[in-house]
Amino acid sequence: TAFGSSGLALLGDTADTQPTFHGFTLTVAGTGSPSNTGKLALSVIDSTQAALALRTLSTGLVVLNQWNFVAVSVDEAAGTGVIQVNGSQDAFTSTYASPDTSNATATLGIGQDGAGEGPAVSGQRSANLIMWDRSLSSVELTALFSATKGKFGF
């Protein structure tokens, strides 16, 4: 599987620069942004759905054709968070604000864009999707990475 120009959608749309359908996207940046290709990108739209409230990129790279550990942890009350790729963590570069859902026009799908267009054809496979009802610390994310990497030959 190649990254392509738009990148790979993990959650939300492939157009990670303007995530209007869901309020946020989690993608792997594509070749359309050469200096960011392979980086995990989290984009959150503002309440007017006209501009990005947050766009954060990992320093670690997602490697094609092998298992990768990607994680995002958000503390909404504090407006902070971290993004992690294969054990390398980066704090959000700006204050996080929850996306506005009042104008949401699509149901979020995993492995599809959710805009009624069916599954995304990217060739990716997911082993686990786990969600907590609280923010995980950097130490907890690292422990999850360490506990799972051996299972996937990493």
Side-chain angles (χ1 to χ4, degrees):
T1 300
F3 291 125
S5 179
S6 299
L8 298 174
L10 302 178
L11 292 173
D13 299 316
T14 56
D16 67 304
T17 56
Q18 200 64 290
T20 55
F21 289 125
H22 309 294
F24 80 98
T25 61
L26 183 62
T27 63
V28 179
T31 57
S33 178
S35 64
N36 295 327
T37 300
K39 293 181 179 180
L40 188 65
L42 174 68
S43 300
V44 179
I45 198 78
D46 73 1
S47 61
T48 66
Q49 294 193 354
L52 287 174
L54 171 77
R55 175 155 165 83
T56 239
L57 291 163
S58 67
T59 53
L61 298 176
V62 172
V63 182
L64 285 175
N65 302 315
Q66 79 174 37
W67 179 82
N68 291 270
F69 180 89
V70 297
V72 176
S73 185
V74 177
D75 182 338
E76 288 186 290
T80 60
V82 295
I83 192 168
Q84 185 184 99
V85 175
N86 298 326
S88 173
Q89 292 186 18
D90 300 285
F92 287 0
T93 53
S94 58
T95 302
Y96 176 85
S98 293
D100 179 29
T101 58
S102 63
N103 293 321
T105 59
T107 302
L108 179 64
I110 300 165
Q112 63 183 30
D113 77 3
E117 296 175 16
V121 182
S122 66
Q124 66 189 355
R125 290 185 256 167
S126 298
N128 297 305
L129 174 66
I130 306 169
M131 295 183 184
W132 279 262
D133 62 354
R134 65 177 180 83
S135 177
L136 297 183
S137 70
S138 294
V139 170
E140 290 171 312
L141 289 177
T142 299
L144 284 170
F145 169 67
S146 297
T148 58
K149 68 182 181 179
K151 293 179 182 180
F152 297 96
F154 188 65

